[in-house]
Amino acid sequence: MSKSKQVLVTGGAGYIGSHTVVSLVNANYKPIILDDFSNSNPQVIEGIQDILQESITYYRGDCRDWDLVSSIFNEHQFDGVIHFAASKAVGESVEQPLRYYGNNLDSLMVMLRAVEQFKVPNLVFSSSCTVYGQPDHLPVTEETERKPAASPYGNTKKISEDIIFDVVGSAANLKAVSLRYFNPIGAHPSAKIGELPLGTPNNLIPFVTQTAAGIRDVLTVFGDDYNTPDGTCIRDYIHVMDLSDAHVRSLTYLEEQSESSYYEVFNLGTGKGTSVMEVIKSFQEVAGVPLNYRVGPRRSGDIEQIFASVKKAEKALNWKALKTMKQALADTWKWQQAISKIP
């Protein structure tokens, strides 16, 4: 067997990062994690190692720390970098814009400096469908115009894409993709890793499972008067295992490109929109647990509906989201039960 290619995974103890680390090992890559654990738990490393039955190399530290980053790049011969590390709560970014611009943009620029200096050829960047804002037409394609961001978080993703585009367009020998994900949900089927929000969740699914587990008293549905079939917001929910596989495929896709400098963007979703009420009903069916929910007023910053066209990723990456909403909800509930110790 050929020697495994080493890949730096920043934010590799986070939700999507941890699942991608598992997928990388299964694809015969050797991931090295860099994470400051500001929005993740060190126990995630144990979960990854339990699943893989092997140890994972990881560094605890900040992606903005050039001395640390350069020492890691000196220590390893990286074939690629997957850059997840970023602050990611939309509401918090509105309250703390400087923190978000500082963390998300500075960490990317340090990583790009390292990639350039140490001649690492491939970069996969964790972007977001937030760059589209509320689109005029659905489904959203990669050609859909990027709207002014609704939050500083969304703006950091938009600016980051522009920075990478400019760096690839300069003299740098760098091949890069930005992956615009829609709404990641689910957990590893082993229930050893999953979404582990610190404090109050910002996303619907952890709020659903925490309410079902009795951690939250009630789930608030923010608005039922939108122009959608049942009045609730519509999103494109993708299983995190499908998403993690797409990162591995993106890495091999970049390795296959003959140009020395190359940049592309891909939507990652299922191509199907699901409403908040449809999620609630599906969860109650899957878990067999009634959910205490109430309808509240709309939440500022929420867009009405968005879902992806994923034809480009399916064709170029030879990848497709395979797992269903019910599978994702079942895996999430199994994970919630494991961490809540529910019988």
Side-chain angles (χ1 to χ4, degrees):
M1 188 179 284
S2 60
K3 190 176 176 219
S4 298
K5 293 174 179 174
Q6 296 191 65
V7 179
L8 180 65
V9 184
T10 70
Y15 175 39
I16 305 167
S18 59
H19 291 79
T20 300
V21 165
V22 171
S23 294
L24 284 165
V25 172
N26 290 335
N28 197 33
Y29 286 93
K30 182 175 172 54
I32 313 292
I33 293 172
L34 171 59
D35 203 304
D36 66 359
F37 299 104
S38 62
N39 197 33
S40 57
N41 192 312
Q43 288 178 315
V44 171
I45 303 291
E46 294 172 26
I48 294 170
Q49 293 178 154
D50 273 357
I51 292 166
L52 296 170
Q53 289 298 295
E54 63 179 79
S55 63
I56 291 290
T57 303
Y58 72 96
Y59 295 88
R60 183 172 195 145
D62 194 319
C63 288
R64 295 171 294 179
D65 181 345
W66 172 253
D67 290 341
L68 171 65
V69 169
S70 58
S71 72
I72 294 170
F73 275 77
N74 267 314
E75 184 77 23
H76 302 275
Q77 186 76 43
F78 291 121
D79 183 70
V81 172
I82 302 182
H83 184 53
F84 290 107
S87 303
K88 62 176 188 177
V90 170
E92 186 180 66
S93 78
V94 175
E95 295 161 11
Q96 302 177 45
L98 279 178
R99 178 186 159 202
Y100 271 68
Y101 285 113
N103 188 34
N104 294 6
L105 300 181
D106 289 352
S107 63
L108 172 66
M109 288 190 283
V110 167
M111 215 40 63
L112 286 168
R113 181 181 161 197
V115 158
E116 195 169 49
Q117 187 164 314
F118 291 91
K119 297 182 170 52
V120 177
N122 304 304
L123 173 74
V124 177
F125 175 65
S126 164
S127 191
S128 165
C129 67
T130 55
V131 301
Y132 297 118
Q134 176 62 67
D136 297 325
H137 304 286
L138 291 168
V140 169
T141 74
E142 290 81 357
E143 306 304 314
T144 298
E145 179 191 2
R146 296 184 310 167
K147 294 280 189 73
S151 69
Y153 163 74
N155 206 25
T156 66
K157 292 300 184 184
K158 195 173 169 187
I159 295 167
S160 293
E161 287 189 1
D162 292 341
I163 291 170
I164 296 167
F165 177 82
D166 288 342
V167 169
V168 171
S170 72
N173 288 327
L174 177 63
K175 294 180 284 186
V177 294
S178 290
L179 301 179
R180 295 171 176 168
Y181 348 124
F182 283 67
N183 291 64
I185 60 171
H188 192 273
S190 67
K192 292 182 187 295
I193 56 173
E195 188 168 9
L196 199 60
L198 302 181
T200 306
N202 291 290
N203 300 328
L204 173 64
I205 306 300
F207 228 112
V208 166
T209 59
Q210 287 188 12
T211 304
I215 297 165
R216 309 276 160 201
D217 292 333
V218 62
L219 168 71
T220 301
V221 175
F222 296 111
D224 65 351
D225 57 349
Y226 286 97
N227 185 27
T228 60
D230 63 20
T232 62
C233 290
I234 288 175
R235 297 289 181 270
D236 187 339
Y237 296 97
I238 176 172
H239 197 298
V240 69
M241 293 307 300
D242 283 331
L243 197 54
S244 64
D245 287 342
H247 287 77
V248 180
R249 276 298 308 140
S250 296
L251 211 49
T252 55
Y253 170 79
L254 288 174
E255 291 165 359
E256 291 159 2
Q257 302 310 308
S258 55
E259 302 99 312
S260 59
S261 293
Y262 180 86
Y263 180 67
E264 196 55 88
V265 298
F266 293 106
N267 287 339
L268 296 181
T270 63
K272 179 181 182 295
T274 306
S275 75
V276 173
M277 284 309 304
E278 285 174 324
V279 169
I280 289 171
K281 286 174 183 169
S282 287
F283 177 80
Q284 291 180 140
E285 280 178 39
V286 166
V289 176
L291 207 53
N292 184 27
Y293 69 89
R294 65 177 175 83
V295 175
R298 293 186 182 192
R299 183 171 58 179
S300 69
D302 275 348
I303 61 170
E304 183 171 277
Q305 55 181 314
I306 188 168
F307 53 94
S309 164
V310 288
K311 290 176 183 171
K312 183 177 174 184
E314 288 176 359
K315 186 175 178 185
L317 302 179
N318 191 27
W319 165 90
K320 187 176 174 67
L322 299 173
K323 295 181 182 290
T324 65
M325 166 65 76
K326 287 192 173 178
Q327 277 177 287
L329 292 172
D331 288 340
T332 311
W333 181 230
K334 188 178 172 188
W335 161 247
Q336 183 69 62
Q337 289 174 300
I339 57 177
S340 304
K341 304 292 186 289
I342 298 172

